[in-house]
Amino acid sequence: MSAVGIWTLGLALAYTAWLVIGGRWMVARQESRANFFVSGRSFSPWTVAFCITGLFSGSSYIAIVELSYRTGISAVWYGVAETVQVLLIALLLVKPLRRKLVVTVTGIIGDRFGRSAQGISALITGFTFPMYSLATSIAFASALYAITDIALWQSITLTAIILLAFLVFGGMRSVAFSQTMNVIMIFVMFAVGIWALVVSPGSGEIAEFSADRPEMFEPANAGVSLIVAWFGTFIVNVPLAQAAFQMSMSARTPEDGQKGLFLAAVIGIPLILLGIFVGVAAAMVVPDTGLPLVAISEYISGALPPWAAALFFVGMWACALGWAGPCQFSGATSLGRDFGRAIRPKATQAELVRYTRIALIGLTAVLIGLSLLRSEQSAWWNIMAWTLRNGATFAPVLAAFFWPLATRTAAVSALLGGFGAGLGWYALSGFSATDFFLGTHPVWIGMIVNMATLVVVSLTQVQWRPSPSPQARGRGAAALFSAGTVAVLTALKWEWLASYGLTGLALFLVTLGLFAAAFLAIVSKDPAEFVTSFWETSEEQPVTTR
């Protein structure tokens, strides 16, 4: 093992011990079991900012540094798309969700559509979050392997056990503590990264590199379809960003949660830029390496003293923990709290906390098991998780928010139909991370089936009519016109869209327009069947279910 590896393991062990001890310390300050899920809704704006920065900016940094090694400065659009997501959550959702005392997306589905929908959505969400955790853990494990020769699955197993150690006792308070520590460590990495850039490469090498590979400095080098997919991924994920909701809902007030997200968007900017610079510098100094994080590890190790390089790698580990920790906890909250309430409606708060701790242990085993099945492709797990969760929960969440006409049967059908369609399409693609059946990403198919099923089943179960409101009918007509326009353009430009891999997104937009038209312009004929939507209930009352 190299000197850098020895330093990295030593500092990582010390840092880990502090996270576990700190997590236990936070437990001692916890006043009640209710605080386990939302920390007594006591977070300041800065605490929320650190939580969100560790969640999104840390994981984005790893993604950007990999992407920029391959595609150059065009990786900036990944960071921009992630920042747009954070801002949209802050502007559109934090205040209304906080007023409703929301904890999870699966809780929203359960409150609106009943126990069956809550149980199914909680199972799907709970078991997909370890896939998100694994994706980032694989990325860091690749770098660790380059400097220590520790196998990928062993590194991921160690990460999973450490996550369990500091999450199982303190809940959201431990998340807040670990995220704050992770952000501090990430900015230590930032300082060390700047040092590496100053040392190598020099200005002469940059000029020579830009002449040899000018595409690395082109803003759209990653490809239009991929950049569009980044924005589509993050924007579609806005109403489903459960881990972000859970952290921002833990704020003292809705305004504090919103301020924290705005702060996180600002804090993330330097990390986005550093990821680009480090990735491009590594491409210059260590070119033509198959694994970008291995090349970046070699670049940092060669540019800096062993102890400084170790600080950089521990910072990258903090990025991985900053994403994986909240994902594991939020998944366990769905699996323990929401699935527990679905099967035992009268469970006490203490029992729900116990279920969630058991779920954390179970999801730790799932994370380790998944790493043994497939530990070489982080993108593969991101695609699988995004396809299964978004394909199942996208339409039911929007219906809970906006469409009183949706029924329980329709929600359950949409959950199962979208889940099955996305998984089936991915199977037809041979479960490839890059080559999809008919060039269409499986998540678009899952969400298309998800939306269509919810609307069709709902309309077959209730007596409906066009809204008596001229404004509502006008908005519905506008949505219908938009869907028709996109459909015509899709038909005319099919080959061009197919060449860029955009047909799935185009069909999704058509379906979304029809979905919106139904929401806006269709109401029940029978006032007795009317169900109050999420936004129309009082702050003290949950939504009425059918």
Side-chain angles (χ1 to χ4, degrees):
M1 185 182 299
S2 67
V4 175
I6 294 171
W7 270 100
T8 300
L9 287 180
L11 291 175
L13 289 173
Y15 180 65
T16 300
W18 172 235
L19 288 181
V20 174
I21 293 169
R24 295 287 295 173
W25 174 60
M26 298 307 292
V27 173
R29 298 179 57 193
Q30 199 163 313
E31 296 177 1
S32 72
R33 293 185 185 273
N35 292 342
F36 189 81
F37 300 110
V38 290
S39 191
R41 303 198 188 269
S42 60
F43 287 0
S44 69
W46 279 105
T47 302
V48 174
F50 290 148
C51 286
I52 298 297
T53 299
L55 176 70
F56 285 133
S57 295
S59 63
S60 291
Y61 173 82
I62 290 179
I64 289 169
V65 79
E66 285 189 271
L67 288 165
S68 59
Y69 180 85
R70 292 193 176 104
T71 66
I73 66 169
S74 61
V76 70
W77 297 114
Y78 187 97
V80 173
E82 177 264 328
T83 304
V84 168
Q85 176 187 227
V86 172
L87 294 175
L88 287 175
I89 293 170
L91 292 170
L92 300 178
L93 294 178
V94 167
K95 286 187 175 181
L97 292 182
R98 177 63 173 82
R99 283 195 293 268
K100 299 294 180 182
L101 302 180
V102 164
V103 176
T104 60
V105 168
T106 49
I108 294 172
I109 293 173
D111 288 344
R112 175 64 175 79
F113 296 113
R115 291 166 56 191
S116 295
Q118 178 165 305
I120 293 168
S121 62
L123 281 173
I124 293 171
T125 299
F127 282 106
T128 53
F129 266 112
M131 298 179 190
Y132 289 115
S133 301
L134 180 58
T136 307
S137 299
I138 288 173
F140 170 73
S142 300
L144 190 64
Y145 173 74
I147 57 175
T148 64
D149 293 327
I150 295 176
L152 296 183
W153 72 268
Q154 292 174 334
S155 174
I156 294 165
T157 298
L158 178 63
T159 300
I161 293 171
I162 289 166
L163 291 172
L164 175 65
F166 70 75
L167 289 174
V168 72
F169 298 108
M172 184 53 71
R173 285 189 183 273
S174 286
V175 170
F177 175 80
S178 64
Q179 292 295 81
T180 301
M181 295 302 103
N182 286 335
V183 170
I184 292 172
M185 198 67 234
I186 287 168
F187 274 94
V188 170
M189 176 194 68
F190 179 87
V192 174
I194 296 295
W195 180 8
L197 292 172
V198 171
V199 172
S200 175
S203 57
E205 291 183 50
I206 295 174
E208 183 178 344
F209 185 72
S210 63
D212 291 340
R213 297 188 61 188
E215 74 278 4
M216 294 288 284
F217 297 90
E218 293 177 2
N221 184 45
V224 174
S225 61
L226 185 57
I227 293 171
V228 170
W230 293 338
F231 279 92
T233 299
F234 282 115
I235 292 172
V236 165
N237 199 55
V238 166
L240 303 175
Q242 177 169 298
F245 293 164
Q246 197 168 354
M247 291 187 287
S248 56
M249 295 304 104
S250 299
R252 293 175 302 205
T253 65
E255 292 73 19
D256 283 351
Q258 194 174 53
K259 289 176 185 175
L261 284 160
F262 288 142
L263 286 169
V266 174
I267 295 171
I269 294 173
L271 293 177
I272 293 170
L273 297 177
L274 178 68
I276 294 167
F277 296 149
V278 169
V280 173
M284 295 169 60
V285 178
V286 190
D288 303 323
T289 299
L291 296 174
L293 280 173
V294 172
I296 290 159
S297 301
E298 293 176 3
Y299 161 63
I300 294 294
S301 300
L304 298 172
W307 64 268
L311 285 174
F312 185 90
F313 295 131
V314 175
M316 288 189 68
W317 194 41
C319 290
L321 293 176
W323 171 258
C327 284
Q328 288 290 93
F329 182 68
S330 193
T333 301
S334 281
L335 198 57
R337 176 183 179 270
D338 295 336
F339 185 73
R341 287 197 308 169
I343 59 175
R344 287 200 60 200
K346 295 182 180 180
T348 65
Q349 189 69 22
E351 288 173 327
L352 294 178
V353 171
R354 185 170 71 251
Y355 298 159
T356 301
R357 285 175 169 152
I358 293 170
L360 272 169
I361 296 171
L363 293 186
T364 299
V366 170
L367 178 55
I368 295 170
L370 294 179
S371 72
L372 294 173
L373 290 174
R374 194 180 190 116
S375 61
E376 74 279 3
Q377 285 185 302
S378 60
W380 193 92
W381 288 111
N382 268 327
I383 292 168
M384 178 66 84
W386 191 43
T387 296
L388 298 182
R389 189 195 65 161
N390 288 32
T393 59
F394 181 73
V397 168
L398 291 184
F401 285 164
F402 302 113
W403 203 32
L405 205 63
T407 67
R408 288 186 175 188
T409 302
V412 171
S413 300
L415 284 164
L416 296 175
F419 178 90
L423 182 60
W425 196 269
Y426 203 15
L428 290 174
S429 305
F431 293 106
S432 170
T434 54
D435 299 319
F436 303 121
F437 184 62
L438 300 181
T440 301
H441 197 297
V443 75
W444 303 127
I445 301 301
M447 289 194 290
I448 287 169
V449 172
N450 188 234
M451 290 186 287
T453 301
L454 188 137
V455 171
V456 171
V457 174
S458 293
L459 295 183
T460 59
Q461 287 191 299
V462 299
Q463 297 294 317
W464 55 273
R465 63 187 175 92
S467 172
S469 167
Q471 293 85 357
R473 291 198 305 271
R475 295 189 189 102
L480 197 60
F481 176 78
S482 298
T485 302
V486 175
V488 171
L489 292 174
T490 300
L492 294 174
K493 298 291 185 181
W494 184 267
E495 291 186 4
W496 181 85
L497 291 169
S499 67
Y500 285 101
L502 298 176
T503 52
L505 176 59
L507 294 173
F508 168 78
L509 292 175
V510 172
T511 310
L512 184 62
L514 298 173
F515 193 58
F519 278 26
L520 293 166
I522 296 178
V523 297
S524 174
K525 278 186 178 180
D526 184 1
E529 288 190 344
F530 181 78
V531 179
T532 307
S533 74
F534 181 88
W535 308 111
E536 294 171 323
T537 55
S538 68
E539 293 184 15
E540 293 78 20
Q541 298 295 324
V543 294
T544 306
T545 60
R546 179 191 287 118

